[in-house]
């Protein structure tokens, strides 16, 4: 079929809306009609060249839609089902999936290379193969994706909102709940409260943190964080650290979660200084490919104060379990999702959505597909 999709064709680059060919689903693949897709900073890292992918590439990885056709061998899904596309596929049987750590599924090795899991392509632009970002390409109203990337969800929740569960929400929530293991009474700092970080704020508040300090240079982000569970907000980490020390007898925070875009070694070191003995720094924000290696921390303090630096991918979530839990929390009014969407855009305005993200105008922008 012919579809109009947003392609990145150069690095650095902008999206171009191109009419491309989409093949039928092959074995264990599904044709999805996406209703909506959030736009995450990870998409934009590729456009700016901070991350380097293989172009041409059809972007987007935070989508929700409806199953329209099944390839041979698909189980557990039917035409008409509502689905959220997980940006990490999960096989259910590798050692990580079996251990409840599907975010580290071995299929992750096939991500970002471009073709589908069998090594062939479903999208073509004038005969040339088009890579599918994270296998799912949600910046197209139609896509063919692995069954392992889909979570079936109830039909009573709005797809134009729960699409955010495909990446940003679970990543942020899990950064607090799983990676930082926030407990009642903790003092937590969240550095960078955009689409991911604001959900770390929600997660820390949900876990019963006594103090949730949002750090972001953008006043609008700080205001939103305060509305969504932060108890305090500061424009930079130095002020936040000073404040947390002032209320903890000089000890510092139990955890500092880095959800800003492009964290550097210096940012991790600042977070390391902000935490107490036994505290945890969580690194969720994706560093630029060009950032030099190294974190300038005092290694004596690492051992002597038993501090921990913890990387975090998709909030350490198992999508098939956690996305459904998040839907229950949303239905119960305990997880705010509607409030996270600042603006919705037609696909034709996707570059405006990118600009709004880069200029800090959106907590989350969402692309609405037309059919
Ligand atoms: N680990 C994962 O699984 C995962 C998943 C999704 C996104 N990410 C990454 O998380 C990061 C954030 O994504 P997003 O969609 O929330 O981006 P976003 O643009 O919505 O939010 C980033 C926020 O960080 C703030 N910020 C930038 N520098 C800062 C600093 N020095 N101190 C404090 N705040 C600062 C910005 O003002 C902005 O509000 C990106 O790097 C993205 O690639 C990681
Ligand atoms: Zn993302
Ligand atoms: Zn697996």
């Amino acid at each position: 079929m012919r579809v109009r999709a947003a392609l990145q064709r150069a690095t650095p680059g902008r999206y171009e809306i191109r009419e491309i060919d989409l093949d039928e689903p092959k074995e264990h693949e599904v044709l999805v009609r996406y209703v909506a897709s959030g736009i995450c900073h990870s998409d934009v890292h590729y456009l700016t060249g901070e991350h380097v992918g293989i172009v041409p590439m059809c972007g987007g990885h935070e989508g929700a839609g409806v199953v329209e056709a099944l390839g041979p061998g698909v189980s557990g899904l039917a035409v008409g089902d509502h689905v959220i596309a997980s940006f990490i596929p999960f096989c259910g049987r590798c050692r990580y999936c079996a251990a409840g750590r599907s975010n580290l599924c071995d299929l992750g090795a096939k991500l970002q290379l471009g073709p589908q899991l069998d090594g062939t392509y479903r999208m073509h632009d004038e005969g040339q193969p088009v890579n599918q970002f994270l296998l799912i390409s949600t910046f197209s109203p139609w896509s063919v994706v692995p069954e392992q990337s889909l979570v079936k969800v109830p039909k009573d929740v709005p797809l134009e909102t729960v699409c955010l569960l495909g990446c940003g929400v679970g990543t942020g929530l899990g950064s607090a709940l799983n990676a930082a293991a926030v407990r009642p009474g903790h003092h937590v700092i969240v550095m960078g409260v955009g689409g991911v970080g604001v959900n770390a704020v929600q997660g820390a508040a949900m876990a019963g943190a006594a103090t949730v300090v949002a750090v972001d240079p953008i006043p609008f982000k700080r205001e939103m964080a305060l509305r969504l569970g932060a108890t305090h907000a500061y424009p930079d980490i130095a002020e936040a650290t000073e404040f947390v020390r002032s209320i903890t007898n000089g000890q510092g925070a139990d955890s500092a979660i880095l959800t800003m875009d492009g964290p550097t070694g210096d940012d991790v070191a600042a977070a390391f200084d902000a935490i107490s003995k036994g505290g945890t720094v969580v690194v969720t924000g994706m560093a630029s490919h060009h950032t030099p290696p190294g974190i300038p921390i005092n290694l004596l303090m690492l051992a002597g104060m038993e501090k921990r630096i913890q990387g975090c991918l998709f909030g350490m979530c198992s999508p098939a379990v956690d996305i459904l839990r998040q839907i229950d929390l949303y239905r119960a009014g305990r997880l705010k999702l509607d409030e996270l969407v600042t603006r919705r855009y037609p696909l034709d305005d996707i570059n405006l959505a990118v600009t709004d993200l880069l200029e800090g105008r959106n907590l989350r922008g969402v692309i609405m597909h037309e059919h």
Side-chain angles (χ1 to χ4, degrees):
M1 66 191 288
R2 300 280 286 169
V3 297
R4 288 180 78 246
L7 303 194
Q8 178 182 349
R9 300 208 303 154
T11 305
R14 300 285 274 171
Y15 287 119
E16 293 175 48
I17 307 296
R18 306 268 298 176
E19 196 168 308
I20 61 170
D21 293 301
L22 179 68
D23 295 346
E24 309 223 313
K26 288 197 183 172
E27 213 168 355
H28 298 295
E29 294 174 356
V30 178
L31 174 68
V32 177
R33 173 172 57 84
Y34 286 126
V35 169
S37 172
I39 171 160
C40 169
H41 212 117
S42 298
D43 299 302
V44 176
H45 283 317
Y46 285 85
L47 291 176
T48 58
E50 291 160 293
H51 293 178
V52 183
I54 308 169
V55 293
M57 169 171 88
C58 181
H61 66 281
E62 199 176 74
V66 180
V67 171
E68 291 289 339
L70 303 174
V74 174
S75 59
L77 288 171
V79 171
D81 279 348
H82 286 196
V83 286
I84 291 176
S86 164
F87 81 89
I88 299 176
F90 47 94
C91 72
R93 49 185 305 165
C94 72
R95 72 154 76 174
Y96 294 96
C97 284
R101 304 176 73 189
S102 291
N103 64 318
L104 298 179
C105 176
D106 285 345
L107 289 178
K110 307 258 183 156
L111 290 178
Q112 295 182 2
L113 298 177
Q116 280 299 327
L117 293 175
D118 72 355
T120 66
Y121 294 83
R122 300 297 162 270
M123 291 182 165
H124 312 272
D125 184 10
E126 294 176 352
Q128 299 301 310
V130 173
N131 295 287
Q132 285 188 262
F133 186 46
L134 302 177
L135 303 167
I136 54 179
S137 293
T138 62
F139 294 156
S140 170
W142 298 87
S143 189
V144 169
V145 311
E147 63 176 335
Q148 294 94 334
S149 299
L150 296 176
V151 177
K152 179 179 164 179
V153 297
K155 289 188 177 165
D156 65 320
V157 288
L159 293 172
E160 65 268 29
T161 304
V162 296
C163 62
L164 304 184
L165 304 180
C167 175
V169 172
T171 298
L173 271 188
S175 295
L177 297 173
N178 301 328
V182 177
R183 295 286 177 267
H186 275 193
H187 304 285
V188 182
I189 296 175
V190 181
M191 288 172 73
V193 284
V196 171
V198 78
N199 291 298
V201 167
Q202 293 208 79
M206 211 178 269
T211 316
V212 183
V213 184
V215 180
D216 204 297
I218 300 175
F220 161 67
K221 305 289 178 90
R222 298 199 298 273
E223 280 161 34
M224 290 303 296
L226 288 167
R227 277 178 50 189
L228 290 160
T231 55
H232 302 79
Y234 293 96
D236 65 63
I237 182 67
E239 283 178 72
T241 304
E242 196 183 313
F243 166 71
V244 175
R245 283 191 186 140
S246 76
I247 59 164
T248 56
N249 197 22
Q251 298 281 322
D254 294 281
S255 53
I257 303 171
L258 279 76
T259 40
M260 74 254 270
D261 52 289
T264 62
D266 287 340
D267 293 321
V268 180
F272 187 85
D273 284 340
I275 58 170
S276 61
K277 285 180 283 189
T280 304
V281 171
V282 175
V283 183
T284 298
M286 292 289 182
S288 165
H289 281 173
H290 314 295
T291 301
I295 304 171
I297 57 166
N298 183 325
L299 294 183
L300 193 54
M301 293 296 159
L302 181 66
M305 297 180 84
E306 217 173 75
K307 293 188 179 186
R308 188 191 300 257
I309 298 178
Q310 174 69 57
C312 180
L313 181 66
F314 202 175
M316 300 181 166
C317 291
S318 284
V321 181
D322 287 303
I323 286 178
L324 296 177
R325 282 189 185 145
Q326 289 152 15
I327 286 176
D328 289 340
L329 285 168
Y330 169 63
R331 279 195 185 123
R334 309 234 359 241
L335 174 67
K336 304 293 181 202
L337 297 181
D338 301 282
E339 293 78 354
L340 306 185
V341 181
T342 310
R343 188 169 170 187
R344 292 192 164 86
Y345 306 80
L347 185 65
D348 284 315
D349 288 347
I350 190 164
N351 287 312
L352 176 62
V354 170
T355 304
D356 284 347
L357 180 147
L358 284 171
E359 294 185 355
R361 281 193 279 270
N362 287 347
L363 199 51
R364 218 27 154 204
V366 169
I367 304 298
M368 295 297 298
H369 289 298
E370 286 163 18
H371 292 279

